[in-house]
Amino acid sequence: MNQPLWGIDLGGTKIEGVILESIDNPTPLVRTRVDTEAPKGYDHIIGQIARLVANMEEQSGMKPTAVGIGTPGVLDPTLQTMKNCNTVALNGKPLQKDLEKNLQLRIELANDANCFALAETHWGVVKTSAPNAKMVFGVIMGTGVGGGIVIDGKIWSGRHGIGGEWGHNFLDESGGPCYCGKSGCVETVISGPGTERYYEKLTGQRLKLKEIVSRHKEGSDPAATKTIERLCHFFGKGISVITNLLDPDVLVIGGGVGNIDALYTEGPGPAGEVHF
Ligand SMILES: [Zn+2]
């Protein structure tokens, strides 16, 4: 396996590609990205992935034998079509088959949160900080909320491929309707957009999460502080279900919302009497 590894992260906004030197030395040789432009539809997304692979070939002077792609949602193991993607244009589509046809390459798909959990286990923070961990739960909190379970170094994807997908567990009605057809899902409450919506409800002003966090840090905006306190409260509440069910050795958080310090200090604390 000591050959370069080609990987792509298919996000809702960006598609990022990386070529790693080898599995033993995962140094990036090339890293490049294109916009997803998801509103333009499924065929356009396929075209953007093809463009990205062409860019990677040009920058590296190499050709891949296979490409691994981390996707939102999952390829249904029986139907071989995508499901549970917050980039909804992918749902119901045979993404693996269509990409193999378009790129004339072997393509492997996996849920992005599963990829994240596995990468942190073998190459990232788990390896350096908790190398004896038997179970790792990886959480992605960004535009959406996903999760992946690693047991003894391997992904547990489950019978339907949805193992660890806690983003559509019910959390709180205040999250409102979700694209999945339900309401109050974890994702609607503690994702980046869910958090920005709550701040907007308090103030009438739509701010980026980064700005809300910096106002909270400055202590200059009580609505920003309430928003971050709510995020920590519901993060703790949402993750408690995972903890009680799996009791993982390590919980590792990624994604834009995962960069908020308060999650690590306030998130695990006692909830007490709070009302949001
Ligand atoms: Zn949902």
Side-chain angles (χ1 to χ4, degrees):
M1 277 301 285
N2 256 340
Q3 58 189 18
L5 303 173
W6 291 54
I8 290 176
D9 177 30
L10 172 54
T13 316
K14 304 269 183 215
I15 311 172
E16 184 158 327
V18 69
I19 306 172
L20 303 179
E21 196 171 303
S22 70
I23 201 157
D24 297 328
N25 177 21
T27 309
L29 302 175
V30 165
R31 187 190 287 272
T32 182
R33 47 164 63 182
V34 296
D35 291 334
T36 314
E37 298 170 349
K40 292 188 182 171
Y42 177 70
D43 291 340
H44 186 78
I45 297 172
I46 297 269
Q48 290 299 84
I49 295 171
R51 225 183 91 200
L52 179 69
V53 172
N55 289 350
M56 291 162 78
E57 287 177 350
E58 200 182 304
Q59 288 181 35
S60 66
M62 297 190 286
K63 293 230 179 254
T65 51
V67 177
I69 306 185
T71 69
V74 73
L75 186 72
D76 186 291
T78 311
L79 301 174
Q80 292 295 305
T81 51
M82 299 299 290
K83 64 179 181 184
N84 303 357
C85 305
N86 57 5
T87 303
V88 289
L90 300 173
N91 288 325
K93 304 288 188 186
L95 182 64
Q96 185 180 24
K97 203 175 117 238
D98 287 344
L99 282 171
E100 285 186 337
K101 205 165 110 191
N102 188 299
L103 293 167
Q104 293 295 307
L105 279 173
R106 187 163 73 84
I107 301 289
E108 294 290 341
L109 303 183
N111 171 263
D112 51 9
N114 287 359
C115 295
F116 165 73
L118 202 59
E120 290 295 345
T121 300
H122 292 292
W123 289 337
V125 70
V126 181
K127 193 183 176 190
T128 49
S129 305
N132 297 322
K134 283 185 73 66
M135 180 183 276
V136 175
F137 190 72
V139 172
I140 294 191
M141 291 168 68
T143 314
V145 174
I149 305 165
V150 176
I151 304 172
D152 289 331
K154 291 196 176 118
I155 279 292
W156 182 270
S157 56
R159 182 177 173 87
H160 301 97
I162 58 167
E165 283 305 321
W166 68 307
H168 298 275
N169 284 3
F170 177 75
L171 180 53
D172 192 75
E173 205 51 67
S174 67
C178 180
Y179 74 86
C180 76
K182 298 192 292 173
S183 70
C185 295
V186 167
E187 184 164 306
T188 62
V189 182
I190 61 171
S191 63
T195 307
E196 290 166 3
R197 266 199 310 275
Y198 180 76
Y199 181 83
E200 190 178 7
K201 208 165 83 185
L202 291 179
T203 63
Q205 199 186 0
R206 183 84 183 194
L207 286 187
K208 288 266 173 218
L209 183 61
K210 240 181 170 167
E211 176 62 24
I212 299 170
V213 171
S214 80
R215 287 185 181 200
H216 161 63
K217 277 189 181 158
E218 285 164 13
S220 59
D221 180 348
T225 294
K226 195 170 177 195
T227 302
I228 300 304
E229 282 174 355
R230 172 186 180 268
L231 172 68
C232 292
H233 169 75
F234 280 119
F235 168 71
K237 209 167 174 174
I239 213 71
S240 68
V241 176
I242 303 296
T243 310
N244 288 343
L245 204 63
L246 299 177
D247 192 13
D249 296 288
V250 181
L251 183 68
V252 52
I253 312 173
V257 183
N259 293 327
I260 299 174
D261 298 340
L263 279 182
Y264 303 85
T265 52
E266 312 299 322
E273 281 294 311
V274 270
H275 301 281
F276 292 100

